């Protein structure tokens, strides 16, 4: 049936996703162009075991050749230096007395990544909440039924710790809600224009007292208003607050925090007039290897130090999403012993 075979090959060649046809002699009969990058340049005529190789996929093909029932499995490979996951659907072909198998490959890498992100997110939230909850339950048990029941000094100390743990949970829940709100509006570009110079001066003023308590001075270099950009005032206030609070938490005591804002000017990377907001601390800094992951949820350079200082691990993730909503960019620079610089570019 050469006509039927040619028709099948024409249909397979017309499809955009990778397709492989295996005959009843268990040899590759046809491969369309998108599939060549998965199975090599000369697969036709070879036994499918020597081409596909991955055990789960081989078992699926053998089972469908045997009983003609449709099946699906996964196929893992690397393309351009990245792991790629394909969902492979295996269906029986019936051509008169001959039978075969048609494999179709669907790239589900992004779906798998999103699923893994959700799993990691749930696991991280559970871990972050479990620690303070365990501490609270332990101290409550000690106060109600333990030796601290009759010890006023111990009760006072335990209640102070319980208050700190409850505040930590409250901050975490607040940041989770904030992240959820930001993600819900991420595709809605702000249209109202705000004065970033006035906003930055307001945030610096509100955080100066906290910085002084930590032994730091905020040195602001802000141009005369207005520095107008399209933006969501509440969200940009959150960006400024998170970045300066981070600098206060991790800046070296007795040193300064430099905050600056530029007036709009053409930026080659943004390809438009851009304002540049910079927050720099003079703390211990960190290895640049951490930079690509700093804006991931719950990622910390130093987990113990971050929790000790009230960090939730969500601040920079919130900043990234807000800056993304404003079609901006965030750049991070740091070296051990050289402090850290956070640079936000916003289109004007």
């Amino acid at each position: 049936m050469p006509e039927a075979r040619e028709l099948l090959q024409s249909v397979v060649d017309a499809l955009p996703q990778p397709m492989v046809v295996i005959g009843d002699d268990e040899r590759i009969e046809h491969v369309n162009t998108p599939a060549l990058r998965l199975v090599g340049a000369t697969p036709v005529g070879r036994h499918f075991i020597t081409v596909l190789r991955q055990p789960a996929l081989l078992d699926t093909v053998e089972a469908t050749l045997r009983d003609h029932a449709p099946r699906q499995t996964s196929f893992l490979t690397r393309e351009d230096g990245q792991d790629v996951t394909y969902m492979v659907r295996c269906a029986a072909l019936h051509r008169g007395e001959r039978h075969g198998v048609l494999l179709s490959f669907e790239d589900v890498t992004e779906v798998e990544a999103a699923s893994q992100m959700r799993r990691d997110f749930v696991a991280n939230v559970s871990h972050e909440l479990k620690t303070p909850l365990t501490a609270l339950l332990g101290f409550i048990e000690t106060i109600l039924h333990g030796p601290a029941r009759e010890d006023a000094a111990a009760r006072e100390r335990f209640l102070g710790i319980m208050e700190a743990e409850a505040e930590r949970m409250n901050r975490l829940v607040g940041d989770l809600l904030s992240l959820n709100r930001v993600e819900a509006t991420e595709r809605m570009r702000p249209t109202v224009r705000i004065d970033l110079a006035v906003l930055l001066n307001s945030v610096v003023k509100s955080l100066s007292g906290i910085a002084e308590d930590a032994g730091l001075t905020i040195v602001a270099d802000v141009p005369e208003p207005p520095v107008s950009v399209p933006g969501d005032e509440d969200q940009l206030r959150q960006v400024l607050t998170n970045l300066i609070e981070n600098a206060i938490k991790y800046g070296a005591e007795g040193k300064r925090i430099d905050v600056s804002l530029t007036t709009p000017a053409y930026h080659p990377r943004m390809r438009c007039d851009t304002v540049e907001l910079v927050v720099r601390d003079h703390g211990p800094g960190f290895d640049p290897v951490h930079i690509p992951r700093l804006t991931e949820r719950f990622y910390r350079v130093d987990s113990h130090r971050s929790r000790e200082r009230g960090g939730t691990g969500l601040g920079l993730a919130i900043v990234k999403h807000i800056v993304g909503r404003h079609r901006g960019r965030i750049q991070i620079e740091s070296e051990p012993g050289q402090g850290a610089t956070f640079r936000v570019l916003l289109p004007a």
Side-chain angles (χ1 to χ4, degrees):
M1 304 244 318
E3 296 85 358
R5 181 171 181 175
E6 289 177 6
L7 177 61
L8 174 63
Q9 291 181 0
S10 297
V11 172
V12 168
D13 287 338
L15 295 171
Q17 65 193 81
M19 308 286 288
V20 176
V21 180
I22 301 173
D24 54 2
D25 60 355
E26 300 187 352
R27 295 187 177 276
I28 305 291
E29 283 189 1
H30 188 67
V31 174
N32 70 352
T33 301
L36 291 176
R37 68 179 186 273
L38 301 179
V39 298
T42 57
V44 176
R46 294 170 56 188
H47 196 284
F48 75 88
I49 289 178
T50 66
V51 175
L52 302 177
R53 298 189 178 183
Q54 296 191 14
L57 181 54
L58 297 180
D59 292 343
T60 300
V61 172
E62 288 174 349
T64 298
L65 281 170
R66 185 170 57 251
D67 62 15
H68 306 152
R71 291 176 173 81
Q72 66 180 35
T73 186
S74 59
F75 180 84
L76 307 178
T77 186
R78 283 184 70 81
E79 295 178 7
D80 300 324
Q82 295 184 336
D83 292 331
V84 179
T85 303
Y86 286 93
M87 178 62 68
V88 185
R89 290 177 174 82
C90 186
L93 291 174
H94 303 283
R95 296 168 291 179
E97 296 297 320
R98 298 190 61 197
H99 301 283
V101 165
L102 176 66
L103 299 180
S104 62
F105 294 74
E106 179 186 359
D107 188 345
V108 293
T109 305
E110 291 187 4
V111 176
E112 287 292 312
S115 179
Q116 184 61 47
M117 188 181 297
R118 284 194 296 272
R119 290 193 293 270
D120 291 344
F121 183 68
V122 171
N124 282 321
V125 170
S126 301
H127 174 73
E128 293 291 336
L129 287 174
K130 185 176 180 181
T131 303
L133 275 174
T134 301
L136 282 172
L137 290 171
F139 286 124
I140 290 170
E141 176 71 19
T142 303
I143 290 172
L144 288 177
H145 308 293
R149 186 173 184 177
E150 307 298 332
D151 187 337
R155 280 202 312 274
E156 191 74 20
R157 187 172 73 255
F158 290 164
L159 286 170
I161 298 173
M162 289 165 66
E163 181 183 30
E165 295 294 343
E167 287 177 352
R168 177 179 162 190
M169 283 194 295
N170 189 50
R171 283 194 301 272
L172 178 59
V173 171
D175 280 353
L176 287 170
L177 292 173
S178 179
L179 185 58
N180 183 64
R181 285 193 298 269
V182 171
E183 289 181 331
T185 61
E186 193 167 9
R187 297 188 183 277
M188 300 165 57
R189 188 172 185 177
T191 56
V192 176
R193 299 193 72 84
I194 66 166
D195 189 336
L196 200 55
V198 170
L199 183 60
L200 180 54
N201 282 327
S202 171
V203 172
V204 168
K205 184 177 180 180
S206 67
L207 294 177
S208 291
I210 299 173
E212 288 173 5
D213 291 342
L216 294 159
T217 303
I218 301 177
V219 179
D221 180 12
V222 183
E224 288 294 322
V227 179
S228 179
V229 297
D232 183 310
E233 182 173 347
D234 290 337
Q235 288 190 346
L236 289 179
R237 181 181 294 274
Q238 192 167 13
V239 167
L240 300 173
T241 301
N242 282 359
L243 292 178
I244 296 174
E245 281 185 344
N246 266 5
I248 292 171
K249 288 174 186 174
Y250 307 113
E253 186 175 345
K255 294 191 177 180
R256 70 184 191 277
I257 297 166
D258 295 320
V259 179
S260 64
L261 177 68
T262 66
T263 54
Y266 182 79
H267 195 286
R269 291 192 63 185
M270 297 288 286
R271 298 181 181 177
C272 64
D273 284 350
T274 301
V275 300
E276 184 174 282
L277 167 75
V278 179
V279 177
R280 182 186 178 197
D281 67 60
H282 297 268
F286 49 83
D287 194 311
V289 72
H290 297 286
I291 291 175
R293 299 193 60 193
L294 270 184
T295 54
E296 292 180 13
R297 299 169 185 179
F298 298 109
Y299 185 83
R300 299 177 173 97
V301 174
D302 185 339
S303 296
H304 177 72
R305 187 180 178 205
S306 174
R307 291 192 181 96
E308 197 176 60
R309 301 193 175 204
T312 63
L314 292 172
L316 288 178
I318 293 171
V319 167
K320 180 187 76 170
H321 283 287
I322 292 175
V323 172
R325 184 200 172 194
H326 287 72
R327 306 300 189 268
R329 293 187 181 184
I330 180 168
Q331 300 171 344
I332 305 172
E333 303 162 11
S334 186
E335 292 284 347
Q338 300 298 316
T341 300
F342 293 82
R343 197 181 311 275
V344 175
L345 306 174
L346 294 173

